[in-house]
Amino acid sequence: MSWAFLRDLLSGVNKYSTGIGRIWIAVVFMFRLLVYVAAAENIWKHEHDEFECNIKQPGCENVCFDHFFPVSHIRLWALQLIMVSTPSLLVVFHVAYRENREKHHNQKFYRNPGKIDGGLLCTYLISLILKTGLEIVFLVLFYKLYNGFKIPRLVKCDIKPCPNTVDCYISKPTEKMIFLYFLVATSCLCIVLNLSELSYLIFKYSIKCYLKRHVKKQQGSKSDCCESELIRYNRAAAAGQFHSSSSLPLNMQDEHEKPSPLT
C-alpha cells in the first residue's frame, strides 16, 4: 500500500500548524506511519495462514478466525491513520480558498492566508475536535472488537462447523501484543497533543479578545473624559465672559446697553 498521499497531506498541514500541531504531525509520521509500514504490516501479513486449530475439519479454522478477528488489526490501523489525518484537509482547503479568493478578486484580503485567525481558527478547532473524537472512537472500537488490548496465545472455539470445542493458536502473540501496546500508546499521545493544542488556542485567543475589549474600553473612557473636559471649558469660558461684562461701571453698562443712534 502506498502512503505517499498521507505523507504529502501531513507535510502540507505542517505549514499552517502551531508548535504543538507540528509535534502531532511528527508523532503520526514517525511513530505511527513509519512503524506501521516498516514493521507492523509485516507482522500481520500472513496472520490468517498462520492461524492454526487442532482439528482439520473443513471450514472450522476460517469460521474461528472470523469470529476472533472480525476485522484485521492491521487494516483497522490503516483505516485509523487515514481517518485521523483526514480532518487536516479542512485546514488545507480553507487556506486554498483564501488564496483563490485573493487571486480571483486581485485584492489583498488577508495579511497572511495561512495565519490561524478568524474563520480559519474555527476550521482549525473543528479539525482538532474531529481528530480527537476519531482517535477515541477507534480506541473504543479496538477494545470492543478484541475484548481488550491483548493478544491471547490460545483461543477456544466451538462454532459450527467445528464438531466440538477446539483449540486455536495465534502466531507470534507476544510480538503482536508489543506493537499493539505501542500503537495504542501513540494514539493516546496524539489525543493528549490534540487536547493540549485545542486548550492552547482557546486560551490564547480568549486572552487576545479580552485585551482588545479592555483597550476599547480605555479608549472609550478617554474620549468621554475629553468630551467632559471640553464641556467644562466651554462653560467656564461662557461664565467668564458673563462675569467680565457684569463687572463694568454702571455708566459703561448703560452705554453698552443703549441702542446705537440711527444714522
Side-chain angles (χ1 to χ4, degrees):
M1 183 177 181
S2 177
W3 292 93
F5 76 97
L6 188 58
R7 179 198 62 199
D8 295 338
L9 169 63
L10 294 176
S11 61
V13 175
N14 189 49
K15 297 186 295 184
Y16 315 120
S17 300
T18 63
I20 302 175
R22 292 188 180 95
I23 296 173
W24 176 85
I25 292 172
V27 171
V28 170
F29 185 74
M30 295 179 64
F31 297 103
R32 298 181 74 175
L33 182 58
L34 291 182
V35 169
Y36 174 91
V37 174
E41 192 174 17
N42 293 325
I43 295 173
W44 274 270
K45 191 173 184 179
H46 304 289
E47 58 179 333
H48 185 270
D49 297 334
E50 295 173 351
F51 183 83
E52 296 180 355
C53 296
N54 60 356
I55 192 172
K56 297 302 180 182
Q57 177 73 24
C60 181
E61 284 188 359
N62 288 333
V63 171
C64 292
F65 182 83
D66 182 70
H67 175 72
F68 290 106
F69 300 100
V71 181
S72 173
H73 280 83
I74 204 68
R75 293 183 179 89
L76 196 57
W77 282 331
L79 181 62
Q80 182 183 14
L81 279 172
I82 294 171
M83 293 300 293
V84 299
S85 302
T86 300
S88 300
L89 282 173
L90 297 173
V91 180
V92 177
F93 288 156
H94 198 139
V95 175
Y97 164 76
R98 285 184 166 189
E99 293 174 349
N100 290 332
R101 185 187 177 196
E102 289 185 343
K103 185 177 180 181
H104 179 72
H105 294 279
N106 198 18
Q107 292 181 4
K108 191 70 175 175
F109 294 107
Y110 314 98
R111 293 181 180 178
N112 181 6
K115 184 179 180 182
I116 303 176
D117 59 356
L120 186 59
L121 173 63
C122 297
T123 304
Y124 200 93
L125 293 177
I126 291 171
S127 69
L128 288 175
I129 294 171
L130 289 176
K131 286 190 289 188
T132 305
L134 288 170
E135 292 278 15
I136 295 173
V137 166
F138 273 96
L139 284 179
V140 173
L141 188 61
F142 267 104
Y143 190 86
K144 293 292 185 181
L145 284 176
Y146 306 115
N147 296 319
F149 300 112
K150 291 184 178 181
I151 305 293
R153 291 180 172 82
L154 171 68
V155 291
K156 294 184 178 294
C157 179
D158 57 355
I159 303 171
K160 293 182 179 181
C162 299
N164 49 28
T165 302
V166 298
D167 296 333
C168 296
Y169 302 91
I170 300 171
S171 64
K172 298 175 284 189
T174 304
E175 188 177 15
K176 289 179 179 179
M177 191 164 59
I178 291 172
F179 275 93
L180 177 62
Y181 285 161
F182 179 80
L183 293 173
V184 169
T186 53
S187 181
C188 293
L189 178 60
C190 288
I191 292 174
V192 172
L193 289 172
N194 287 330
L195 292 176
S196 300
E197 188 175 14
L198 185 66
S199 303
Y200 166 74
L201 288 174
I202 292 175
F203 177 76
K204 177 183 176 180
Y205 284 93
S206 298
I207 294 297
K208 189 176 179 180
C209 292
Y210 172 78
L211 291 176
K212 282 185 178 180
R213 291 179 182 177
H214 184 66
V215 169
K216 285 182 179 179
K217 285 182 179 179
Q218 284 187 341
Q219 290 177 350
S221 62
K222 286 181 180 179
S223 61
D224 292 340
C225 290
C226 292
E227 289 179 0
S228 61
E229 288 293 334
L230 183 59
I231 293 171
R232 289 178 185 174
Y233 176 78
N234 291 333
R235 288 178 179 177
Q241 184 178 2
F242 175 76
H243 179 70
S244 61
S245 63
S246 62
S247 62
L248 293 173
L250 293 175
N251 55 358
M252 293 182 66
Q253 290 183 16
D254 293 338
E255 291 178 359
H256 180 73
E257 292 176 358
K258 285 181 181 180
S260 60
L262 297 174
T263 58

